[in-house]
Amino acid sequence: MNIIFLGPPGAGKGTQAVRVCERLGIPQISTGDILRRAIKEGTPTGLEAKSYIDKGELVPDSVVIDIVRDRLKESDCKNGYVLDGFPRTVAQAEALAGFAEIDKVIDIAIEDQKLIDRLSGRRVCLSCGGTYHVSTLGGATTCAKCGAELVQRADDKAETVLSRLSVYHAQTAPLISYYKERGKLAEVDGAQAMDDCFNAILNQLGA
Ligand code: AMP
């Protein structure tokens, strides 16, 4: 099954995508992770993307569309995949329709204030991708999975969070009606407990 996870930054797309992909045995394709890796490796794409990401703006459509088009050609995608963080604009969705057949779009919906709390307390492991919240870390500063240092993403700083949310409302939220009109949309409450959200998603996927 080819699935899109839609939703504002901090809704839990990444966390839920990892779990759903494990359960279904399909790859998670996160454009944010791919771009952060490119930045770390200092590739030309990474250098171009960094200035946008640090400001909370979207990386140009052409850059992310090429990334996803190439990634979907890899053999592990032949039995399905979860797109996490792509598409983020109507132009990206239209381009995607030209090279992929999407079965279901899961919109993880949650109000802005909850997102601000979640994002500003988020800490991530740049080594293995583990994600935590300060409220559950009990003062720990290293990753429970791999032991690497936990950091706050530059784009999780308070002022950048606000601009990411306004970018989401202006550019990504229109995808909700885009996919609703095409009969592909299912909404899940992103404010509920993580396990409940996971079960609601599986339910919507009929998995
Ligand atoms: P994420 O990890 O999905 O929150 O993405 C982090 C940042 O990467 C976003 O704030 C954007 O700057 C950039 N990014 C990720 N996916 C896309 C996309 N589909 N289109 C444009 N920019 C993206």
Side-chain angles (χ1 to χ4, degrees):
M1 193 166 0
N2 302 336
I3 305 161
I4 291 172
F5 274 19
L6 206 63
K13 294 189 298 296
T15 308
Q16 297 295 346
V18 168
R19 295 183 70 180
V20 168
C21 286
E22 263 170 24
R23 174 67 68 93
L24 302 182
I26 55 177
Q28 171 207 13
I29 299 170
S30 156
T31 41
D33 285 350
I34 294 171
L35 292 167
R36 278 184 291 277
R37 206 173 312 128
I39 292 172
K40 209 171 154 196
E41 289 166 0
T43 68
T45 301
L47 292 177
E48 184 181 357
K50 185 169 173 18
S51 58
Y52 296 98
I53 293 182
D54 284 352
K55 281 185 281 186
E57 293 170 6
L58 293 184
V59 173
D61 286 335
S62 57
V63 174
V64 282
I65 290 167
D66 284 351
I67 287 175
V68 174
R69 190 191 288 112
D70 288 347
R71 180 65 186 85
L72 295 187
K73 286 180 190 150
E74 289 181 32
S75 60
D76 63 337
C77 295
K78 66 178 187 304
N79 295 324
Y81 46 80
V82 170
L83 285 174
D84 158 20
F86 181 94
R88 257 178 158 98
T89 64
V90 172
Q92 291 177 19
E94 284 170 347
L96 178 67
F99 58 82
E101 181 64 48
I102 298 301
D103 301 301
K104 198 91 189 170
V105 178
I106 302 288
D107 176 36
I108 307 182
I110 175 166
E111 63 194 50
D112 282 8
Q113 189 50 53
K114 291 212 171 75
L115 296 171
I116 293 167
D117 296 343
R118 277 192 190 179
L119 289 170
S120 50
R122 180 160 72 174
R123 296 295 178 270
V124 296
C125 171
L126 292 182
S127 182
C128 76
T131 301
Y132 304 85
H133 192 273
V134 282
S135 61
T136 58
L137 276 172
T141 57
T142 53
C143 177
K145 289 178 206 147
C146 76
E149 196 191 343
L150 297 177
V151 296
Q152 181 175 42
R153 277 170 45 173
D155 60 345
D156 280 347
K157 303 240 156 77
E159 61 284 8
T160 316
V161 165
L162 294 179
S163 71
R164 288 167 68 201
L165 282 176
S166 77
V167 165
Y168 166 78
H169 287 296
Q171 302 198 58
T172 308
L175 291 177
I176 296 172
S177 37
Y178 177 92
Y179 285 115
K180 199 181 270 173
E181 282 159 19
R182 285 157 182 78
K184 312 234 167 179
L185 194 86
E187 190 181 294
V188 165
D189 174 11
Q192 60 190 327
M194 219 161 68
D195 285 348
D196 296 335
C197 187
F198 178 56
N199 288 323
I201 292 171
L202 291 182
N203 204 18
Q204 290 289 359
L205 294 174

